[in-house]
Amino acid sequence: MTATDTLGDVRGKRVLVRSDLNVPLDGTTITDDGRIRASVPTIKALADAGARVVVTAHLGRPKGAPEDRYSLAPVAARLGELLGAPVAFATDTVGESAQGVVAGLADGQVALLENVRFNAGETSKDDAERGAFADQLAALADAFVSDGFGVVHRKQASVYDVAQRLPHAMGNLVATEIDVLRRLTETPERPYVVVLGGSKVSDKLGVIDNLLGKADKLLIGGGMVFTFLKAQGHEVGKSLLEEDQIPVCLEYLKRAADTGVEIILPTDIVVADSFGDEASARVVAADAIPAESLGLDIGPESGKAFAAALADAKTVFWNGPMGVFEQAAFAEGTRAVAEALTKTGDLGGLSVVGGGDSAAAVRTLGFDEAAFGHISTGGGASLEYLEGKELPGITVLEARTDSGLEG
C-alpha cells in the first residue's frame, strides 16, 4: 500500500516527507547520490498526485545549530535534477524561510527544508523540547509520510514525534525495506547465508547473537575478523582488535558448532606495513600474520571460498565490506562477495546489501545496482531490525489507525 493509498486524496494538501538524504559531500559536491535517488519515487508520487510536498532531512552530525558544511543546499539542487523540476529550498528548518517557502508552493511542487539537525529539538533526549520542535514541523503540513529508513531506529522529532501529531503513512521506501527485512527474519528461503564485515565486532554483536539461530552460514571478514582470529589463538599483528570481545567471539564460535551453523573465517589475509600502504601489500596465511603488519582485506583464496559458500544461497544478507575497498590493493575481497551476490538472483534467490559502507562499495566498485535483490538505505536501522530491536519510527506508524486525510 502506497502513501497515497493510506492518506487518500492529497491534492492541495501539504505533505511533510521525512527522507534520508544523508549523502557524502566533498565540499559542496555530492560524491554518492544513492540515497537521494532512493527518495525520489515517494516524493514524485506525492507530487504527481497534486500534493504540496515538504521534504525534511538531515546531513551529517551538526550539534543542533547551523553549520555551512552540513547544508542541504547541494542536495536540493540534485533532487531537482532527478525530479526534473525545481525544488524550492528553505534556509532554515521551521522559521521564516521555511514558512514562506511552504506557503508559496502550488499543487505538485516540492520544497526542501534546511538540515533538520540544525535545530537542537530534533535529537533532544528531552521529550518536551523534542515535542515543541515537532509541533513547529507539524504546523507546516497537513499529513506526514515517513520515508527515511536510515533514521527509523531514532526517536527523533522528525521521525517519531511528528507522526503522533499528523495523519501519517509509510513511504514506499520504508515499506519496501520493512518487507525485505521481514523476509530475512521470518521466512528466509534456505540456504540462508549472512556476510558480515566492517571494522568492529562490537557493532555487530546483536546481529550475530540473533542470527546464530536463523542463518545456515555466517561469513566473517573486514576488521572484525581479527578479533575472531585472536580468539582462535592466532597472531594478528597490528590489525584492528577488540580485546574485550575475545570471550564473546569464543562463545559465538562454540554456539555455532553446537547449533550446526557454519561460521566461515578467512584462511588468508592481505596485509600491509601501515594503513593504506598499497606498496607493501602482500598475502599471508590467516594464522601467520606478521607481528609488524596489519590486515586490510581478506585474501584471494578466502574470496573464492566465500563465493563458493554463497553459490547455492537462496537468501543472503551482507553488511560491511571485507576490506578497505576504497584502495585497489584492498578491494578484491569486497569485490568477490559483491560479485557472488549478483548471481543469487539467477537461482531465484534474494540478495540484500545492508546499507552503509556495503552499499557505497557496490557503487564504488562499479556494480550494477539492479543486479542485487535489494540495496538498503539504512545500515544501522537494518542491523537493529535484525537484532530484534524495536524501531521507534516504525512502531509509531503502526500504533495508530486514524491515518487518513479528511476531505
Side-chain angles (χ1 to χ4, degrees), residues 270-356:
V270 180
V271 302
D273 295 337
S274 61
F275 187 85
D277 181 8
E278 294 188 89
S280 65
R282 58 201 183 280
V283 178
V284 301
D287 59 359
I289 297 174
E292 71 281 0
S293 300
L294 73 162
L296 295 171
D297 192 15
I298 64 171
E301 292 305 314
S302 300
K304 293 175 185 175
F306 280 24
L310 290 162
D312 65 346
K314 284 297 185 70
T315 305
V316 182
F317 174 73
W318 171 33
N319 183 281
M322 299 294 99
V324 185
F325 68 89
E326 298 89 346
Q327 294 182 281
F330 314 115
E332 291 308 304
T334 302
R335 189 186 304 278
V337 168
E339 181 68 38
L341 262 67
T342 64
K343 299 173 183 176
T344 304
D346 296 342
L347 299 174
L350 172 67
S351 61
V352 179
V353 181

Side-chain angles (χ1 to χ4, degrees), residues 222-233:
M224 62 185 290
V225 77
F226 301 107
T227 305
F228 278 90
L229 292 175
K230 189 72 171 180
Q232 292 180 323

Side-chain angles (χ1 to χ4, degrees), residues 26-394:
D26 181 3
T28 59
T29 302
I30 297 166
T31 56
D32 182 350
D33 68 354
R35 284 176 170 166
I36 305 175
R37 286 186 286 109
S39 74
V40 165
T42 293
I43 295 170
K44 188 175 188 306
L46 288 165
D48 287 349
R52 303 177 182 191
V53 185
V54 182
V55 182
T56 184
H58 78 282
L59 193 152
R61 295 184 178 181
K63 306 299 183 185
E67 294 182 54
D68 287 346
R69 62 181 173 147
Y70 293 132
S71 174
L72 282 171
V75 174
R78 180 60 180 144
L79 180 59
E81 291 172 357
L82 292 167
L83 288 170
V87 170
F89 181 62
T91 56
D92 57 25
T93 56
V94 291
E96 186 176 336
S97 177
Q99 293 168 32
V101 165
V102 173
L105 288 176
D107 295 359
Q109 291 186 335
V110 178
L112 175 63
L113 306 180
E114 183 57 285
N115 192 331
V116 73
R117 290 185 182 173
F118 283 179
N119 191 302
E122 168 67 1
T123 58
S124 176
K125 301 300 182 187
D126 181 83
D127 290 349
E129 183 182 11
R130 207 175 60 246
F133 180 48
D135 287 339
Q136 293 177 293
L137 283 169
L140 297 172
D142 304 302
F144 173 65
V145 172
S146 178
D147 205 42
F149 181 71
V151 289
V152 294
H153 58 315
R154 307 293 189 195
K155 192 175 183 180
Q156 297 177 345
S158 68
V159 178
Y160 178 82
D161 301 87
V162 166
Q164 297 179 314
R165 289 158 168 78
L166 290 170
H168 56 261
M170 272 188 198
N172 302 345
L173 180 76
V174 167
T176 299
E177 295 269 14
I178 294 299
D179 178 63
V180 168
L181 288 170
R182 283 182 175 148
R183 288 173 66 184
L184 291 178
T185 53
E186 296 173 10
T187 56
E189 283 194 76
R190 299 189 181 279
Y192 178 18
V193 183
V194 175
V195 187
L196 294 177
S199 57
K200 295 181 179 179
V201 175
S202 53
D203 290 344
K204 308 288 197 303
L205 288 178
V207 177
I208 297 173
D209 187 64
N210 204 27
L211 291 180
L212 274 177
K214 296 182 173 71
D216 299 303
K217 297 176 186 176
L218 192 57
L219 281 52
I220 297 176
M224 62 185 290
V225 77
F226 301 107
T227 305
F228 278 90
L229 292 175
K230 189 72 171 180
Q232 292 180 323
H234 302 313
E235 170 67 58
V236 297
K238 298 185 293 184
S239 304
L240 189 63
L241 176 65
E242 292 182 276
E243 293 268 6
D244 60 328
Q245 301 300 331
I246 289 174
V248 181
C249 291
L250 281 170
E251 182 207 340
Y252 287 158
L253 290 168
K254 182 179 185 305
R255 273 178 57 193
D258 291 344
T259 57
V261 176
E262 187 179 3
I263 290 185
I264 301 176
L265 301 176
T267 56
D268 59 345
I269 299 289
V270 180
V271 302
D273 295 337
S274 61
F275 187 85
D277 181 8
E278 294 188 89
S280 65
R282 58 201 183 280
V283 178
V284 301
D287 59 359
I289 297 174
E292 71 281 0
S293 300
L294 73 162
L296 295 171
D297 192 15
I298 64 171
E301 292 305 314
S302 300
K304 293 175 185 175
F306 280 24
L310 290 162
D312 65 346
K314 284 297 185 70
T315 305
V316 182
F317 174 73
W318 171 33
N319 183 281
M322 299 294 99
V324 185
F325 68 89
E326 298 89 346
Q327 294 182 281
F330 314 115
E332 291 308 304
T334 302
R335 189 186 304 278
V337 168
E339 181 68 38
L341 262 67
T342 64
K343 299 173 183 176
T344 304
D346 296 342
L347 299 174
L350 172 67
S351 61
V352 179
V353 181
D357 288 341
S358 306
V362 164
R363 290 189 279 267
T364 299
L365 297 176
F367 285 93
D368 180 0
E369 293 182 44
F372 302 89
H374 179 70
I375 298 180
S376 177
T377 57
S382 296
L383 290 176
E384 290 202 14
Y385 190 96
L386 292 176
E387 286 177 38
K389 289 183 177 179
E390 185 177 273
L391 304 181
I394 299 300

